[in-house]
Amino acid sequence: MAEALQWARYHWRRLIGGATRDEDSRPYNYSSLLGCGRKSSQTPKLAGRHRIVVPYLQPFKDEYEKFSGAYVNNRIRTTKYTLLNFVPRNLFEQFHRAANLYFLFLVVLNWVPLVEAFQKEITMLPLVVVLTVIAIKDGLEDYRKYKIDKQINNLITKVYSRKEKKYIDRCWKDVTVGDFIRLSCNEVIPADMVLLFSTDPDGICHIETSGLDGESNLKQRQVVRGYAEQDSEVDPEKFSTRIECENPNNDLSRFRGFLEHSNKERVGLSKENLLLRGCTIRNTEAVVGIVVYAGHETKAMLNNSGPRYKRSKLERRANTDVLWCVMLLVIMCLTGSVGHGIWLSRYEKMHFFNNPEPDRRIISPLLAGFYMFWTMIILLQVLIPISLYVSIEIVKLGQIYFIQSDVDFYNEKTDSTVQCRALNIAEDLGQIQYLFSDKTGTLTENKMVFRRCSVAGFDYCHEENAKRLESYQEAVSEDEDFTDTLSGSLSNMAKPRAPSCRIVRNGLLGNKPSNRLAGSSFTLGSREGASEVPHSRQAAFSSPIETDVVPDTRLSDKFSQITPRLFMPLDETIQNPLLETLYIIDFFIALAICNTVVVSAPNQPRQKIRHPSLGGLPIKSLEEIKSLFQRLSVRRSSSPSLNSGKEPSSGVPNAFVSRLPLFSRMKPASPVEEEISQVCESPQCSSSSACCTETEKQHSDAGLLNGKAESLPGQPMACNLCYEAESPDEAALVYAARAYQCTLQSRTPEQVMVDFGALGPLTFQLLHILPFDSVRKRMSVVVRHPLSNQVVVYTKGADSVIMELLSVASPDGASPEKQQMIIREKTQKHLDDYAKQGLRTLCIAKKVMSDTEYAEWLRNHFLAETSIDNREELLLESAMRLENKLTLLGATGIEDRLQEGVPESIEALHKAGIKIWMLTGDKQETAVNIAYACKLLEPDDKLFILNTQSKDACGMLMSTILKELQKKTQALPEQVSLSVDLHQPPVPQDSGLRAGLIITGKTLEFALHESLQKQFLELTSWCQAVVCCRATPLQKSEVVKLVRSHLQVMTLAIGDGANDVSMIQVADIGIGVSGQEGMQAYVNLLFWYQFFCGFSGTSMTDYWVLIFFNLLFTSAPPVIYGVLEKDVSAETLMQLPELYKSGQKSEAYLPHTFWITLLDAFYQSLVCFFVPYFTYQGSDIDIFAFGNPLNTAALFIILLHLVIESKSLTWIHMLVITGSILSYFLFAIVFGAMCVTCNPPSNPYWIMQEHMLDPVFYLVCILTTCIALLPRFVYRVLQGSLFPSPILRAKHFDRLTPEERTEALKKWRGAGKMNQETSNYANQSADKSGRKPMPGPSAVFAMKSATSCAIEQGNLSLCETALDHGYSETQAFEMAGRCKD
Amino acid sequence: MAMNYNAKDEVDGGPPCAPGGTAKTRRPDNTAFKQQRLPAWQPILTAGTVLPIFFIIGLIFIPIGIGIFVTSNNIREIEIDYTGTEPSSPCNKCLSPDVTPCICTINFTLEKSFEGNVFMYYGLSNFYQNHRRYVKSRDDSQLNGDSSALLNPSKECEPYRRNEDKPIAPCGAIANSMFNDTLELFLIGNDSYPVPITLKRKVLLGGQIKCEIQKSPGGDNLEERFKGTTKPVNWLNPVYVLDSDPDNNGFINEDFIVWMRTAALPTFRKLYRLIERKSDLHPTLPAGRYSLNITYNYPVHYFDGRKRMILSTISWMGGKNPFLGIAYIAVGSISFLLGVVLLVINHKYRNSSNTADITI
């Protein structure tokens, strides 16, 4: 009703105010989502956010113009510039940079005659060069974008033409909103469209969204209700429906709207009906849709906001330093201007050399001093290392080039390398201090392996299964080589078909399937008589480790009781086992059907398996059973199709004979019996033969090996079914169910077919699926049970949620209720047990509804579904109404295996001083166990668990823990001094105390509260590892934000945000900086000269030389250094992750480093000026001849300075240095020979030539260079000898032979280990189990000294990140690939 | 979530698994360069490794320094200040602008004889020939012989560009302030009859300055060539009658050329004349008493300037300058000393510089 109102209002608004499209791009936020309470006030506003889509067809032409005319078409343009606006716009953008503005300012300044220092024209040169270079770079980038755009825009798709009345090929760019588009399999969707038709009889279409969100599994999309039932393809000509939906937004996970037929009947639309641009149609022959969003309004494009600008720490630091340089410049210029004023007041009358103004006026000293200030700014402009920004940028480009071309990050399976998206953070990679990690998929393989289950209170620990997993692991470690070849072949196999390939990629994170392994699991499987040979094709979908589940023997035994014998009416058995058996049946049915798994046959992947005979009535399968029974009771193996299935089966008795008794035996247990017997006795039984023939027909179809017969237990053919699930958990459960011969055979929107071993094929009419979401943490299916004909809800979800939804049993209830209580307790115990083992737990529950209840619910649910605005909440409410009073069936424990190398990586990262936070949605026990397993927590860590129910309690607990921690540290007085402020609390190693913090989602909420934030951070900074369990995605991002903003540290969030992992040299830029600061020394030379020329702003260097000095001779070497610098070899770094720490503290670019460098530069400039000064003092040398040795010496100083500072020199360095020197001399000589009147007043004529014949020139240059570099050289030498930094020491390793190296490494570590061992030994007596021994003070002390060698930090550091060590290449790839947002 | 949408992915159409596997992969080349495995020299600066460098520097620098020092000491040099600000000075009378021309004579004694070619310099102190506006105040095109520039000098020459509507040749402040004292040297023998010493010009300058720079704009008749121009304000004579030698007039006058090469520092000397060695047997300037005759034109006293006449022999390293030699010796010694210190350090700390031996 409200909607009708809204609709009216909307149209009214449309009529009056026209489109209010400016509001459209606003994404929905939480408040609007939850704003149901304010609905009335919001309604008018919401109305404005709707968009009406009218088919782009003849009859609707007017209407189309009215509504859809203004919508963007599908052409995309991601370029910034066009040919016309390139120059102005690029200039405009470039002048947004401070550096260029500075240059411009200088140029303009130089045009003021009074302050002119150089020739006007020449001063423009640097600016022009910089602008041109950057403009060319931008232009090329844009051109590349343009080409890609063009390529995309010109892709062909089939669009319905209103003229030709058929689908014709058209470019993507010509697609408009309202167009009908027909896509075939494997085609990319050109625009967001509502799915109107699918060749799939069930109206399903599968899309692959890997291009969009990186998730590689298929997603189902549903034809709009009402259209799915149509047999023929939707005819655009007859399409007279309008679509109303929300305006474009970037939320990929929602789409709201409805379809209004011409008869005003409305059908709700959801994201299930929307095909997103950029996705690929899979597994569906053809689809037709109507475009609702096109081009830049598609969700995909709205999400593609381009790379975020990330300011690197270094850049921030550089900025402050530049500010200091500005200060320095101002001081120097002031000195110059004051000096000039004083000088002038002394020589004011002396016209001899105090040249008057052109108009013979003598300006007053004060004014002259003021002018001089500006002149000096021009003169000393190079002091501001503006070119630094350009250099840094170039250096970064170079580094990223190396990162991207690093073979270690190359992934063969996907043929892709690391992609660096944000330039700026490259160097920050070396400075990461905090690492946030998701658990699933990052630490773990995201390969769920069914490990244990608990049904009806009995735990089945699946020991065989565990054994299998172990043997599997061994096999992996045994033949690594073999693995490679096989996985290679796997990928080859996958190649012909894109979708399969995709899955291989998914699976490669643990790419270890080997033939031998497959063989071994086969033998295991066949012995058990239930497992199947892993088909190679199947392996491409899911690795055998996931698909093979070895049934628990006990459970199998119980399964074998599901025999007709058990149900024989005459057989008097106690009720209990019977009930349990029913539980087991229900449990496995739930495993098999409570999911959204897509079934396909590998021979023809994506060709859905269908049962043509299954018309839709749930009764039918029962009929079948009956008919079969009837036939079989006459002649046992009359049906050839069933024959093949039954004969080889060993453990399962022939069932059909006793089918009927089975059902009748069930009578007392459930209230179904009447209906069943009714059905059985109904005249419909006569239709059985027809049904049977149909079945046979289907069997003869060679293509589809999916008949019931083949899938009977013991038949290897059953494995030919492939399951594709949205999450690996689901798949694991389905595979587990299959292992118990409860095989999911097919799934359509209407029904699910399960082949339940002993019971035969069962077809469930699928009434509803309430999909999984993170709020509810559960999913449900509503089915009509084929046997009982009741409406049954199967729910599967997180244990905490399910446990709360169970029906509350009255204490004095009937025995089943009591039993339910017992089961519940037992299951809870098992769940805890599973969690302790690090298994992911899920609870399975069911609920039986009466038809009336269901009808009631359905009505409400339908209302919820069709509402547009607060549909989510309504759906949630609706789900809540359904999922309650559940009966617990059991629980499962799934193992999410750790990724290869994870513990080692975590350990290394710890050693590197990186704090790791694991943010996971798992329950506490699971999370802690995973944390232990991946060495995130060490056994002797002190664990603090924050799990409180209120904010105050949380705060109290935190302060208690803090106190305790502080007390621990006070045991070591010298450490206390380190903990000066909150932002730099002592590193845990300092105190020798390793602490881990576990915090639950609920408590996290309190901790993230503003008042507790600070305390929380303080606490966490004490802890080496923090595990947040039960955290919601929102909380995860909040945590990251909190740490990033409050501690101002470099963080790396795996799974979101920062996406590049690499080897990088942080301090390379530091080198570049010092190189640039060398320039300052050079500039200071000009400054010193002012003292000898009356502060008149004379430059003793030709301006051309000055420019070339900047642009060529001294800028290329630092850049090369920056790019190629490498201090320690990768191998050594791998072995010594501790080295990462220096980079983390960005030692190479500390504040004092800047000042030291500045001081050094000051000294160098003094030397560089005064050595030649004293040499040539009183001689007849002229200005530019005096400048020449200064320049030459400065060049040598700068270059040799770099050599001293650099850690490795390759032939490239040598080449650049020699090239620099040679080009300098060549330039000076050529310039000197050619230029007579090039650049008045300076006259470089023959100066260099003369100097090169003069021995004094060489003597001066050598002497100057030596004196200038001596202090730094000595400093470095002393540092190297007396206080070697770990990095320096590590460099020694590179020189050793491999044997010596191992030895040395042992010794390096030895000290630490030895001490640790003694401490452990001491603790052993105290706590033998050793999980959380508290290191006593002595142990703490020992550990302290052990680590001190690593802590002792040298000042110089160029550090490659140890991250490449931390993450094996696959993981690195994973990280890169995973960080899609 | 999921904002990885990127135009390129779209084109690629999902996973790159083209059938048959095209040869082109994105696998980076496994080259030494791309993988940063270039053979590299990794200097590790420790006492042990750099010890030789210090000793070598010491061993090389000290002899060089001694050599330079000795050479510098062997250079004979004498400076005669003739500013005349002191009342006792014979040139004191010339401070007054009224006395023109003012000629004063200063006597001096050479203790030791000067061997070889002797160079005669005039030296100015406190004269900022390197002042920015002063340095700029010239027209190189004019000096280079460009006839249009001769009559229309560059604006840089202002305010010494035109005088009474005539272009100044040579224009600018540098030329205007040209040094114009005349120095003459006499050997006063025992008979107290002063013998004039021949002061030469061209021989020296020819090699140093290429005449192309300041080619005279005229051919035979210089005066004709400079017609339409006027002399700089401060000059006594126009540029074409600077010297009696007709080949040493105009812009190629050697005194003018020397002056136009602006000095780098406020205290400087400029070459005036050369006293050529006559024979190997006799010293060029034997020890004894000399007199310096100065035609005092150039006023420096009112900016506290000094004027000097310098006689100096030269060596391979130019004029007398003890600094370079001392500096070399000092640096060499320091380096040697550091070497010794490092030797000690190396001996003491050798163990700790090697990681393998670290024990705590």
Side-chain angles (χ1 to χ4, degrees), chain A residues 191-249:
Chain A
D192 290 358
M193 49 198 225
V194 168
L195 183 61
L196 295 176
F197 168 77
S198 165
T199 44
D200 186 300
D202 306 315
I204 287 178
C205 157
H206 293 89
I207 58 172
E208 183 187 289
T209 57
S210 65
L212 210 55
D213 55 13
E215 291 175 28
S216 48
N217 44 345
L218 293 188
K219 305 248 163 54
Q220 271 192 16
R221 289 294 188 258
Q222 182 90 49
V223 169
V224 177
R225 242 179 307 130
Y227 286 90
E229 289 75 25
Q230 295 178 356
D231 296 335
S232 59
E233 192 170 318
V234 65
D235 183 2
E237 289 302 316
K238 289 177 191 150
F239 190 86
S240 59
T241 309
R242 80 163 79 213
I243 295 167
E244 186 165 342
C245 57
E246 55 190 4
N247 266 333
N249 61 62

Side-chain angles (χ1 to χ4, degrees), chain A residues 853-1070:
Chain A
E853 274 175 319
Y854 175 68
E856 164 86 24
W857 175 82
L858 193 64
R859 202 158 46 81
N860 288 327
H861 187 74
F862 185 69
L863 275 180
E865 260 188 340
T866 46
S867 78
I868 282 194
D869 284 326
N870 44 1
R871 184 168 149 180
E872 270 75 11
E873 305 124 54
L874 291 177
L875 282 178
L876 187 66
E877 276 170 33
S878 174
M880 298 287 268
R881 275 199 301 278
L882 185 75
E883 294 158 335
N884 55 19
K885 293 183 188 156
L886 301 171
T887 310
L888 184 68
L889 295 174
T892 58
I894 297 171
E895 183 179 344
D896 187 5
R897 289 157 54 88
L898 284 181
Q899 291 212 21
E900 208 182 338
V902 160
E904 291 80 13
S905 304
I906 300 260
E907 209 182 354
L909 288 171
H910 262 313
K911 276 189 189 160
I914 297 174
K915 292 185 177 178
I916 303 168
W917 291 45
M918 186 172 91
L919 311 170
T920 169
D922 280 343
K923 57 188 291 182
Q924 186 184 320
E925 288 79 10
T926 312
V928 170
N929 270 291
I930 296 275
Y932 276 119
C934 64
K935 294 204 176 164
L936 187 61
L937 297 172
E938 297 282 331
D940 43 357
D941 277 358
K942 178 113 184 69
L943 267 194
F944 297 103
I945 295 166
L946 275 183
N947 188 358
T948 56
Q949 295 304 314
S950 76
K951 212 182 99 185
D952 297 336
C954 173
M956 289 244 297
L957 188 61
M958 284 204 284
S959 53
T960 324
I961 294 173
L962 262 178
K963 261 183 215 143
E964 194 180 334
L965 279 167
Q966 271 153 5
K967 215 165 59 201
K968 286 260 151 54
T969 356
Q970 264 150 18
L972 293 153
E974 76 263 43
Q975 247 72 58
V976 181
S977 57
L978 287 173
S979 56
V980 210
D981 59 345
L982 175 99
H983 293 291
Q984 285 302 317
V987 200
Q989 295 98 312
D990 289 359
S991 60
L993 181 78
R994 286 176 50 110
L997 183 77
I998 318 291
I999 186 161
T1000 56
K1002 221 173 192 174
T1003 323
L1004 191 62
E1005 207 169 294
F1006 305 131
L1008 288 177
H1009 195 273
E1010 204 139 318
S1011 55
L1012 288 179
Q1013 269 182 8
K1014 215 174 152 188
Q1015 205 181 6
F1016 177 59
L1017 285 175
E1018 195 178 350
L1019 180 61
T1020 54
S1021 58
W1022 283 82
C1023 302
Q1024 194 123 38
V1026 178
V1027 178
C1028 302
C1029 32
R1030 290 255 182 260
T1032 63
L1034 191 70
Q1035 276 180 330
K1036 288 181 191 177
S1037 67
E1038 267 176 27
V1039 167
V1040 176
K1041 239 185 265 165
L1042 178 77
V1043 173
R1044 193 175 288 172
S1045 59
H1046 284 255
L1047 295 183
Q1048 308 197 328
V1049 288
M1050 296 317 309
T1051 56
L1052 172 73
I1054 304 176
D1056 94 272
N1059 49 1
D1060 10 356
V1061 180
S1062 69
M1063 280 208 273
I1064 193 85
Q1065 296 84 29
V1066 192
D1068 304 346
I1069 318 242

Side-chain angles (χ1 to χ4, degrees), chain B residues 83-309:
Chain B
T83 321
T85 38
E86 305 85 12
S88 61
S89 167
C91 291
N92 188 255
K93 58 180 181 186
C94 299
L95 294 185
S96 138
D98 305 332
V99 191
T100 48
C102 175
I103 294 171
C104 55
T105 306
I106 292 175
N107 292 330
F108 64 95
T109 308
L110 289 184
E111 304 290 335
K112 285 179 182 169
S113 58
F114 280 35
E115 311 278 343
N117 287 341
V118 178
F119 292 82
M120 187 181 186
Y121 300 90
Y122 62 89
L124 295 175
S125 295
N126 234 348
F127 190 102
Y128 286 86
Q129 225 194 354
N130 55 11
H131 190 284
R132 181 169 56 94
R133 282 209 304 277
Y134 180 85
V135 170
K136 279 203 307 189
S137 188
R138 63 193 283 165
D139 185 349
D140 280 338
S141 311
Q142 193 190 41
L143 297 175
N144 206 30
D146 189 328
S147 50
S148 66
L150 181 70
L151 294 174
N152 187 19
S154 153
K155 283 199 174 59
E156 301 285 352
C157 285
E158 290 286 5
Y160 304 107
R161 186 164 165 243
R162 286 176 170 272
N163 189 20
E164 293 155 359
D165 275 351
K166 276 186 172 175
I168 295 173
C171 75
I174 307 174
N176 190 47
S177 60
M178 186 178 156
F179 181 79
N180 55 2
D181 285 359
T182 311
L183 306 175
E184 286 166 305
L185 198 59
F186 296 92
L187 173 64
I188 303 171
N190 294 333
D191 47 359
S192 73
Y193 178 75
V195 181
I197 290 163
T198 324
L199 303 172
K200 284 216 161 193
R201 280 196 185 102
K202 267 178 104 174
V203 184
L204 178 84
L205 294 172
Q208 253 186 16
I209 304 280
K210 292 287 176 194
C211 292
E212 288 93 27
I213 314 169
Q214 297 175 345
K215 208 182 282 174
S216 172
D220 307 326
N221 193 344
L222 271 179
E223 194 175 346
E224 191 64 25
R225 287 293 162 195
F226 281 99
K227 201 177 168 185
T229 66
T230 183
K231 68 175 176 63
V233 187
N234 285 2
W235 284 22
L236 302 172
N237 300 313
V239 70
Y240 44 87
V241 284
L242 282 174
D243 196 73
S244 51
D245 181 355
D247 289 341
N248 192 28
N249 265 325
F251 292 153
I252 57 165
N253 175 277
E254 282 168 15
D255 287 333
F256 179 67
I257 291 170
V258 167
W259 181 254
M260 291 305 282
R261 288 187 59 188
T262 50
L265 300 165
T267 297
F268 59 90
R269 66 175 64 165
K270 283 186 182 287
L271 187 66
Y272 187 66
R273 294 291 183 266
L274 164 70
I275 304 163
E276 261 184 321
R277 185 171 70 165
K278 300 252 167 43
S279 72
D280 293 339
L281 298 172
H282 305 286
T284 320
L285 292 178
R289 293 199 306 127
Y290 291 83
S291 76
L292 177 68
N293 263 18
I294 305 132
T295 314
Y296 198 112
N297 293 320
Y298 205 68
V300 294
H301 56 274
Y302 63 94
F303 57 85
D304 296 333
R306 308 294 300 178
K307 291 202 285 191
R308 289 161 294 144
M309 189 284 300

Side-chain angles (χ1 to χ4, degrees), chain A residues 116 213 304 347 350 360 401 405 407 410 415 1089 1092 1096 1098 1126 1175 1182 1209 1259 1281 1295 1307 1380, chain B residues 2-3 5 10 26-27 34-36 41-42 47 126 130 132 159 261-262 264 269 303 321 328 356:
Chain A
E116 171 191 351
D213 55 13
N304 186 22
Y347 295 103
M350 189 53 220
R360 292 177 189 273
Y401 168 78
S405 56
V407 162
Y410 174 74
D415 187 27
Y1089 191 57
F1092 299 95
S1096 58
T1098 315
K1126 167 178 169 181
T1175 309
D1182 70 63
L1209 295 166
L1259 287 174
S1281 317
R1295 308 202 153 179
K1307 281 192 179 170
K1380 306 282 167 137
Chain B
M3 312 209 177
Y5 181 84
E10 205 171 78
R26 268 179 276 171
R27 186 188 174 90
K34 282 198 171 183
Q35 300 310 317
Q36 303 183 61
W41 175 59
Q42 301 198 320
N126 234 348
N130 55 11
R132 181 169 56 94
R261 288 187 59 188
T262 50
R269 66 175 64 165
F303 57 85
N321 186 356
Y328 261 93

Side-chain angles (χ1 to χ4, degrees), chain A residues 215-357:
Chain A
E215 291 175 28
S216 48
N217 44 345
L218 293 188
K219 305 248 163 54
Q220 271 192 16
R221 289 294 188 258
Q222 182 90 49
V223 169
V224 177
R225 242 179 307 130
Y227 286 90
E229 289 75 25
Q230 295 178 356
D231 296 335
S232 59
E233 192 170 318
V234 65
D235 183 2
E237 289 302 316
K238 289 177 191 150
F239 190 86
S240 59
T241 309
R242 80 163 79 213
I243 295 167
E244 186 165 342
C245 57
E246 55 190 4
N247 266 333
N249 61 62
N250 63 357
D251 191 345
L252 288 173
S253 59
R254 66 196 257 143
F255 172 69
R256 304 186 300 188
F258 55 80
L259 220 104
E260 196 186 55
H261 295 297
S262 44
N263 56 3
K264 298 286 173 206
E265 185 194 328
R266 257 182 272 153
V267 184
L269 297 177
S270 72
K271 74 160 193 184
E272 297 301 315
N273 308 119
L274 190 69
L275 302 180
L276 295 170
R277 180 188 169 115
C279 300
T280 314
I281 304 280
R282 302 281 190 215
N283 201 11
T284 314
E285 204 176 295
V287 295
V288 172
I290 180 167
V291 175
V292 285
Y293 307 126
H296 286 280
E297 287 178 344
T298 56
K299 286 177 185 289
M301 292 304 285
L302 286 171
N303 267 312
N304 186 22
S305 53
R308 276 174 295 166
Y309 181 78
K310 287 180 177 168
R311 233 176 201 202
S312 70
K313 203 176 174 184
L314 182 97
E315 199 167 316
R316 270 178 275 146
R317 281 296 319 283
N319 278 345
T320 55
D321 289 353
V322 165
L323 274 182
W324 280 114
C325 285
V326 170
M327 286 286 295
L328 211 70
L329 176 73
V330 169
I331 290 170
M332 283 164 83
C333 292
L334 273 179
T335 317
S337 78
V338 170
H340 188 61
I342 294 169
W343 184 86
L344 259 190
S345 59
R346 206 171 139 205
Y347 295 103
E348 197 174 356
K349 303 271 152 44
M350 189 53 220
H351 292 215
F352 247 24
F353 45 80
N354 181 20
N355 205 15
E357 293 298 303

Side-chain angles (χ1 to χ4, degrees), chain A residues 49 73 279 296 301 364 376 432 462 618 767 824 832 836 839 894 922 926 996 1173 1348:
Chain A
R49 289 200 215 148
N73 73 356
C279 300
H296 286 280
M301 292 304 285
S364 74
M376 295 286 277
I432 287 150
H462 290 75
L767 301 172
R824 209 171 141 176
D832 296 344
K836 274 189 198 127
L839 301 180
I894 297 171
D922 280 343
T926 312
Y1173 169 77
S1348 68

Side-chain angles (χ1 to χ4, degrees), chain A residues 36 93 284-285 595 644 680 849 862 896 911 1087 1170 1304:
Chain A
C36 52
E93 300 230 332
T284 314
E285 204 176 295
N595 51 45
S644 59
C680 289
M849 282 175 109
F862 185 69
D896 187 5
K911 276 189 189 160
F1087 179 66
F1170 283 99

